[in-house]
Amino acid sequence: MKTIISTSIAQTHAFARDIIENLPDKTTIICLQGELGSGKTTLAQGILEYCGAEGPYTSPTFTIIKQYDIDAYGKKRVYHIDTYRIGSHDMIELGWQEMISDRQNLIIVEWPERIADILPADAIKISCEWIDEKTRRYIM
């Protein structure tokens, strides 16, 4: 288990770079779990930036899924998914099986507990915690 304390966006993005530089060579799912304001989207933005995805990087709260085309770390696409308002059945209807079956996809899921029953066992799980206005704790 690895714990990172971040007091800035730059530190959170450095952690994001560490995550993607050590991705396994297969479809990768990164689950970001935590309350509102715990740093999930900031960490996702760092991952997107270091993958070379074209910004702006906004939370897909209302669109559910944002797709970015990339060519980095053996990946061709990043899906940033916010499951706050949906469940497993909805995610399957949106093409979940196709997304996770392509090893060139990187999938970032915010609020993964809402689709826990369809997440593969090898998904990378990161707990995001709000400490104070400037401090976040990430546990991986």
Side-chain angles (χ1 to χ4, degrees), residues 5-67:
I5 301 295
S6 175
T7 58
S8 70
I9 291 173
Q11 286 178 332
T12 299
H13 285 195
F15 176 48
R17 183 181 62 236
D18 183 52
I19 293 167
I20 61 169
E21 286 179 349
N22 294 292
L23 287 176
D25 184 29
K26 60 182 173 176
T27 303
T28 306
I29 301 170
I30 301 172
C31 298
L32 305 178
Q33 187 169 351
E35 298 299 319
L36 288 171
S38 63
K40 296 182 302 295
T41 300
T42 301
L43 184 56
Q45 290 168 336
I47 293 169
L48 291 164
E49 178 183 330
Y50 285 107
C51 283
E54 189 173 321
Y57 316 118
T58 57
S59 178
T61 301
F62 298 105
T63 58
I64 310 298
I65 300 172
K66 292 188 92 174
Q67 177 183 328

Side-chain angles (χ1 to χ4, degrees), residues 16-117:
R17 183 181 62 236
D18 183 52
I19 293 167
I20 61 169
E21 286 179 349
N22 294 292
L23 287 176
D25 184 29
K26 60 182 173 176
T27 303
T28 306
I29 301 170
I30 301 172
C31 298
L32 305 178
Q33 187 169 351
E35 298 299 319
L36 288 171
S38 63
K40 296 182 302 295
T41 300
T42 301
L43 184 56
Q45 290 168 336
I47 293 169
L48 291 164
E49 178 183 330
Y50 285 107
C51 283
E54 189 173 321
Y57 316 118
T58 57
S59 178
T61 301
F62 298 105
T63 58
I64 310 298
I65 300 172
K66 292 188 92 174
Q67 177 183 328
Y68 300 88
D69 294 323
I70 63 167
D71 187 10
Y73 304 99
K75 305 297 180 192
K76 297 292 181 188
R77 280 166 302 286
V78 178
Y79 293 98
H80 184 191
I81 303 170
D82 186 321
T83 60
Y84 184 77
R85 298 180 306 118
I86 66 171
S88 298
H89 177 74
D90 302 309
M91 201 61 238
I92 290 169
E93 292 291 318
L94 291 169
W96 179 251
Q97 292 304 323
E98 293 81 9
M99 282 183 244
I100 66 171
S101 66
D102 187 340
R103 61 185 267 169
Q104 292 184 322
N105 290 341
L106 173 62
I107 302 165
I108 305 166
V109 181
E110 295 189 42
W111 304 98
E113 61 275 16
R114 301 199 187 258
I115 61 166
D117 58 323

